[in-house]
Amino acid sequence: MNKRNQWPVLPIVAGLASGLLTGCGSETGDSGGAGSSVVMGMSDDVLATDPASGYDPGSWLLFNNVFQSLLSFPKGAVEPQPEAAKECTFTDSQAKVYRCTLQDGLTFSNGDPLTSKDVKFSFDRMLKINDSAGPAIMFPMLESVETPDEKTVVFRLNVPDATFPSKIASGAGSIVDHRQYDANGLRKDYKAVGSGPYKLDSFGDDEAVFSLNPHYKGTAETKNSGVTLKFFHGNQSALKKALLDDEVDIAYRGLTAGDISDIEKQDDTKGVEVIEGSSAEVQHLVFNMHDPVAGKLGVRKAIAHLIDRDALIKNVYRGTATPLYSIIPAGIVGHNTAFFDTYGARPSRAKAAAALHAAGINGKVKLTLWSTPSRYGPATDQELKAIAGQLNDSGLFDADVKSVAFDQYEKDIAKGKYGVYVKGWVPDYPDADNFTAPFFGKGNVLSNNYRNTTITGSLIPSTAAQSDRAATDGDFGRLQNIVADELPVLPVWQAKQYAVTRDGVYGLEYCLDASTVFRFWELSKS
């Protein structure tokens, strides 16, 4: 979930899982909202309630519960299925015309009927507003949206895109009521009118309150009577205290690696359970290819030969992540180990020195690693300092770390001021395309001046057009190998996924899977 040029927060507590999680037992709540209300805390903020703007994990959590998309990801699934739509299909062999037929009797939470006019309005509006912090950047292929009748929507694409169904199944495909939203501007009142299983009753600085939408018609079966979402604004210690003091039922997104480790070790911490799963959240070092230092391939190769991922995972992340040796993370079709194969798992000073020598670099390399303190997780500064220490211990580098607030960080990256900087990514949908096209395709969101015509002209278009996603392995493997050789980025870690819950709260294992959708309706409380 990502906000091109505005990347998502990456705490080591939540994100995607590549499969169903274990822990917290099986849900026991009744369907139809008969259960109790659930209180959930997270340290992230929800930056928007308008789907034309929000492109961050917190906002998409709201969208996925308040709004419907034509398709959705059922629990445990990585292939989208009909939701507001009765059926959707490509009607041509090129994957350029996509037709959906709406369900009968769809209604927004305010009682207004939902028709194809609302679907077209939602996509046209998003693209017209084109908010810099919104999801419009996901749809450069969308040429037009047609509505032959009230139940039919036809999307015409300017290039083949077999991943289009996954894109419209994400928060970016949220359908809004055309009567309630301005076609030319964002909603400013922090209210929301959707047709999802929940309605937004109130939204304030410290909490958002959701109740069941009595007009909802879709696949979700609600197991609670409502959800209150409490915001801790990056204060991990306050979130941990609220959980242990029984002020929240669930802590989601924001506990530190140390918090997770401490809670897991405390057998006497009664009434609290840690739920762990794998994740497709990733973090990379990014190299500015125009930088006078980081722009030199020998420097980048030396860093790749010196970084010790295992030490970072052990000492900084306390085992709450795994080393990443690929652009496409484990659990996603197309994953390979190109960086492991090219640079190995163990640091090698000799190979790093050889890479510098081959580039004509003989003295110590002076380098600044740029960080931002919380946007990509509470341990990011510590991690970058540890990496600088690894480089300096080799005797080949004189590296330091500077950390700036995220707003300034993004502006400086866009201006090319940094040579090496950290970026994290939570995908919009569970497909290798979402780990490659944004970074190495046209409109590179990394702002690192990397271009490769084989990737942009051949590999990305061919993988996008392939409806059999398993058949893309070869091209994605070639793409990853090119990136490992040219080193515009260096993968560092892939997150594990954690949430912490009080006893008597069920369903978390159905909220944390590879789809990135957190399903309020699966939560129950006894």
Side-chain angles (χ1 to χ4, degrees):
M1 324 177 238
N2 327 324
K3 325 354 164 180
R4 308 290 199 247
N5 288 335
Q6 220 176 307
W7 283 46
V9 184
L10 285 178
I12 301 298
V13 180
L16 317 173
S18 60
L20 287 179
L21 307 187
T22 57
C24 94
S26 59
E27 52 84 9
T28 59
D30 297 325
S31 62
S36 301
S37 179
V38 176
V39 180
M40 186 167 80
M42 67 180 190
S43 66
D44 287 359
D45 290 325
V46 173
L47 302 182
T49 61
D50 188 330
S53 175
Y55 199 28
D56 59 280
S59 297
W60 278 33
L61 181 148
L62 184 151
F63 301 159
N64 286 323
N65 289 283
V66 171
F67 298 93
Q68 276 184 304
S69 299
L70 291 167
L71 306 172
S72 67
F73 292 98
K75 57 188 178 185
V78 294
E79 295 292 334
Q81 302 296 324
E83 171 60 19
K86 182 163 55 177
E87 61 181 0
C88 290
T89 186
F90 281 107
T91 61
D92 67 328
S93 59
Q94 292 183 309
K96 291 179 66 176
V97 181
Y98 196 66
R99 178 184 292 264
C100 293
T101 304
L102 295 178
Q103 287 195 62
D104 296 330
L106 292 173
T107 308
F108 289 102
S109 59
N110 62 356
D112 288 343
L114 189 163
T115 69
S116 61
K117 181 176 182 178
D118 298 292
V119 179
K120 175 177 170 57
F121 174 85
S122 299
F123 282 91
D124 288 350
R125 173 178 182 266
M126 172 183 60
L127 294 174
K128 183 176 184 179
I129 293 174
N130 194 24
D131 188 72
S132 60
I137 196 167
M138 288 177 63
F139 297 99
M141 81 301 292
L142 183 52
E143 187 172 282
S144 66
V145 185
E146 300 171 358
T147 55
D149 56 55
E150 287 193 347
K151 294 288 182 63
T152 306
V153 184
V154 179
F155 299 92
R156 296 194 181 275
L157 313 183
N158 51 39
V159 294
D161 187 359
T163 69
F164 186 75
S166 292
K167 291 171 181 172
I168 66 171
S170 72
S174 297
I175 303 168
V176 302
D177 186 342
H178 76 273
R179 306 163 191 83
Q180 299 292 323
Y181 288 79
D182 183 352
N184 301 304
L186 296 173
R187 191 161 184 155
K188 304 293 187 182
D189 59 3
Y190 293 101
K191 294 182 180 180
V193 180
S195 58
Y198 290 81
K199 59 180 182 176
L200 180 63
D201 292 335
S202 64
F203 185 92
D205 290 339
D206 297 321
E207 71 175 26
V209 179
F210 304 83
S211 63
L212 300 186
N213 173 13
H215 299 291
Y216 171 69
K217 181 177 181 180
T219 60
E221 296 182 6
T222 54
K223 299 176 176 65
N224 56 66
S225 58
V227 173
T228 296
L229 185 59
K230 291 187 175 292
F231 308 126
F232 288 80
H233 308 298
N235 190 336
Q236 290 89 11
S237 60
L239 175 58
K240 180 181 178 181
K241 184 177 186 299
L243 178 75
L244 297 178
D245 289 349
D246 204 13
E247 295 174 4
V248 299
D249 301 311
I250 299 164
Y252 173 69
R253 296 197 67 83
L255 294 184
T256 66
D259 291 333
I260 295 296
S261 179
D262 290 345
I263 291 172
E264 286 185 312
K265 291 176 181 176
Q266 292 175 10
D267 294 334
D268 58 344
T269 303
K270 296 181 179 179
V272 177
E273 184 175 3
V274 175
I275 304 152
E276 176 185 331
S278 59
S279 169
E281 291 190 18
V282 297
Q283 191 181 88
H284 305 316
L285 286 182
V286 181
F287 301 110
N288 181 353
M289 305 297 275
H290 288 177
D291 185 77
V293 178
K296 297 178 179 179
L297 180 58
V299 171
R300 302 196 300 274
K301 285 186 174 181
I303 294 172
H305 281 301
L306 291 173
I307 188 170
D308 187 342
R309 295 172 177 82
D310 287 335
L312 295 174
I313 299 306
K314 178 182 177 182
N315 299 327
V316 177
Y317 289 104
R318 309 273 290 272
T320 60
T322 57
L324 181 62
Y325 297 97
S326 172
I327 296 304
I328 300 168
I332 301 294
V333 173
H335 165 78
N336 75 3
T337 55
F339 285 81
F340 180 93
D341 300 339
T342 306
Y343 304 102
R346 299 298 177 192
S348 172
R349 185 192 183 281
K351 291 180 180 179
L356 292 174
H357 181 71
I361 301 170
N362 297 311
K364 282 188 178 182
V365 178
K366 187 169 180 59
L367 190 69
T368 295
L369 307 181
W370 289 90
S371 180
T372 189
S374 61
R375 179 68 174 180
Y376 305 127
T380 306
D381 284 355
Q382 183 186 351
E383 174 195 344
L384 270 288
K385 290 175 183 177
I387 292 173
Q390 293 174 358
L391 299 179
N392 293 340
D393 287 347
S394 73
L396 301 172
F397 283 83
D398 178 11
D400 65 351
V401 176
K402 293 183 180 179
S403 181
V404 297
F406 183 68
D407 287 348
Q408 188 63 44
Y409 186 75
E410 286 291 276
K411 293 175 184 177
D412 289 346
I413 288 172
K415 293 177 180 177
K417 290 186 176 182
Y418 302 158
V420 186
Y421 47 97
V422 64
K423 283 286 191 177
W425 187 253
V426 182
D428 306 301
Y429 50 92
D431 190 280
D433 175 83
N434 201 229
F435 295 92
T436 52
F439 309 153
F440 314 117
K442 296 176 182 178
N444 174 345
V445 302
L446 298 173
S447 300
N448 70 334
N449 303 298
Y450 176 66
R451 302 289 185 273
N452 181 286
T453 55
T454 300
I455 292 177
T456 56
S458 175
L459 297 176
I460 287 178
S462 66
T463 54
Q466 178 56 255
S467 58
D468 179 1
R469 303 311 289 162
T472 61
D473 270 2
D475 280 345
F476 278 126
R478 186 181 173 198
L479 188 157
Q480 289 169 93
N481 293 339
I482 290 172
V483 172
D485 288 339
E486 298 187 347
L487 272 173
V489 303
L490 181 63
V492 181
W493 54 252
Q494 177 175 348
K496 294 181 183 178
Q497 180 169 235
Y498 295 90
V500 186
T501 181
R502 302 291 309 181
D503 281 352
V505 178
Y506 305 95
L508 260 296
E509 71 271 33
Y510 301 127
C511 301
L512 306 169
D513 60 35
S515 67
T516 79
V517 177
F518 192 97
R519 304 171 179 85
F520 281 175
W521 56 90
E522 295 290 351
L523 301 174
S524 64
K525 180 180 175 182
S526 61

